[in-house]
Amino acid sequence: MSANSKVVDINRKKKELITFTEEELETLRRTVAGDASSDEFKMFIYLAKNYGLDPFNKEIFFWKKDGKPTIMTSRDGYLKIADRHPQYDGLVSDVVRENDKFRRKETGINHQYGTNRRQIVGSYALVYRKDRSYPVYIFAPFNEYQADSKIWEQYPSAMILKVAESMALKRAFSVSGLVSREEMAVQQQNDYNFDEIPFSQVQGKKNKGETQEDKSLKNDQVNSLTERELAIKEIVGDDPKLKEDLYNYLRHVKREKGIDSSKKISINSLSKEQFEQLKSILNTFSRLSAQERKEIS
């Protein structure tokens, strides 16, 4: 048997943890990985298959900023990888607050809640493996990872806990090629290109000193939206993730039509087929986003 034949045989024996149809791959190119180059998209799909992470269920993400690509997963993604590993033997984690008694030991943690628990200090996570004598230990200080976002403001304990758990799971199972979404605290809503807002009227930013005149102007802007724009606005709302999915799709259309990246494109310029496809994609991600928020709370 030739060397080339041996390689083919080995690859055939390797079972993929997740597969995608051509239609699904095309959807991912337009949405989740809309900014990815051909090679970056191949790497994204390779990691998704290698670790068995489903982009449609928000288990793996593609993010590109200043031309630098990043492939991310969440705590749930790392937990899925761990659950599949035969040596995984459990995860212990908790949030530490002021006045708690907290001491790290060689084999674990001695953590007792204080009678008057106050501000969050941080969180820890211990990942146990059957083939190791000691757990992998991580402590995440709250002041180093706290992000200025709504979800961190509403669920600070849940978010800092996810940071520690993500880091510990990643280290325990030597996950490479992926970055922890919670650890990075990526705030996509701060990085939108508002020159590319697909509505015919750009809505003003919220202002604490907003006058009645300003409110009337905003109402006029909403009333001036086309039927298509209103339909998409109803789906997207103020959800930053859905806005990014919308922008990714429009960037895909621009590339497909050969439109210069500096030119603007609106929802109204889409064909009927493209518009229906966009609505279908956004409705799908909207349902997934609602499910994700429910799980957090």
Side-chain angles (χ1 to χ4, degrees):
M1 184 181 287
S2 67
N4 288 338
S5 297
K6 289 180 181 178
V7 172
V8 172
D9 288 342
I10 291 171
N11 287 337
R12 280 177 180 166
K13 290 176 183 177
K14 185 177 181 180
K15 183 181 178 181
E16 291 183 338
L17 298 172
I18 190 171
T19 58
F20 304 101
T21 65
E22 284 301 319
E23 185 179 356
E24 288 172 335
L25 288 172
E26 189 56 38
T27 300
L28 292 173
R29 282 192 189 96
R30 291 193 303 266
T31 56
V32 178
D35 285 340
S37 66
S38 178
D39 286 342
E40 290 164 353
F41 183 73
K42 288 177 183 176
M43 177 59 72
F44 175 73
I45 295 301
Y46 168 79
L47 289 172
K49 288 182 175 181
N50 191 46
Y51 290 117
L53 300 176
D54 189 350
F56 291 103
N57 286 333
K58 306 288 186 180
E59 293 174 351
I60 186 169
F61 312 82
F62 182 88
W63 171 252
K64 198 169 189 177
K65 185 177 180 182
D66 298 329
K68 297 178 181 179
T70 302
I71 300 173
M72 297 181 288
T73 189
S74 63
R75 185 279 312 273
D76 292 340
Y78 288 119
L79 197 54
K80 186 175 183 179
I81 294 170
D83 280 333
R84 199 182 284 121
H85 200 286
Q87 299 301 330
Y88 178 55
D89 201 28
L91 168 68
V92 174
S93 60
D94 205 346
V95 174
V96 181
R97 291 178 175 270
E98 291 176 354
N99 294 332
D100 283 0
K101 293 181 180 180
F102 179 76
R103 182 184 175 190
R104 180 187 175 187
K105 300 188 296 183
E106 198 172 55
T107 56
I109 292 294
N110 183 359
H111 179 203
Q112 297 177 11
Y113 289 174
T115 54
N116 182 25
R117 304 187 78 205
R118 302 182 67 184
Q119 297 298 316
I120 297 173
V121 175
S123 65
Y124 63 89
L126 299 128
V127 176
Y128 294 85
R129 289 182 52 137
K130 298 171 185 175
D131 58 347
R132 295 182 185 174
S133 301
Y134 303 105
V136 171
Y137 166 84
I138 289 291
F139 183 85
F142 186 71
N143 62 353
E144 291 184 14
Y145 292 98
Q146 182 185 17
D148 184 19
S149 69
K150 189 175 181 180
I151 195 166
W152 273 85
E153 185 179 330
Q154 290 181 332
Y155 310 107
S157 296
M159 295 307 294
I160 192 61
L161 199 61
K162 284 187 174 187
V163 171
E165 290 173 346
S166 297
M167 295 168 69
L169 288 163
K170 180 179 181 179
R171 184 175 297 179
F173 295 96
S174 303
V175 179
S176 59
L178 293 174
V179 175
S180 169
R181 182 184 178 194
E182 290 87 7
E183 183 184 351
M184 286 185 67
V186 175
Q187 303 302 311
Q188 295 185 3
Q189 60 267 37
N190 294 331
D191 296 295
Y192 290 136
N193 176 9
F194 283 100
D195 290 334
E196 199 177 25
I197 288 181
F199 301 120
S200 56
Q201 298 289 335
V202 178
Q203 297 181 40
K205 294 182 179 179
K206 291 183 180 178
N207 192 317
K208 290 182 180 178
E210 188 175 58
T211 65
Q212 189 61 44
E213 201 172 315
D214 293 330
K215 292 178 182 177
S216 299
L217 177 60
K218 285 187 179 180
N219 289 333
D220 290 341
Q221 290 174 342
V222 171
N223 292 334
S224 69
L225 295 179
T226 66
E227 186 177 337
R228 281 189 173 191
E229 291 169 345
L230 285 170
I232 296 301
K233 189 176 187 302
E234 186 176 346
I235 299 171
V236 173
D238 294 323
D239 192 315
K241 292 182 181 178
L242 291 177
K243 287 180 182 178
E244 183 65 13
D245 291 329
L246 168 60
Y247 300 148
N248 282 337
Y249 183 84
L250 292 173
R251 283 192 282 266
H252 161 76
V253 172
K254 285 168 69 172
R255 288 193 298 268
E256 199 173 54
K257 289 185 175 182
I259 301 174
D260 188 87
S261 60
S262 62
K263 302 292 183 181
K264 297 180 182 179
I265 183 171
S266 75
I267 294 168
N268 301 310
S269 63
L270 300 177
S271 68
K272 183 178 179 180
E273 182 183 355
Q274 288 170 332
F275 179 66
E276 291 302 319
Q277 188 177 58
L278 173 61
K279 283 202 303 181
S280 176
I281 289 169
L282 290 176
N283 276 318
T284 299
F285 284 140
S286 178
R287 288 192 295 271
L288 291 170
S289 181
Q291 182 180 353
E292 186 182 43
R293 286 195 295 270
K294 186 177 180 182
E295 289 173 355
I296 290 174
S297 61

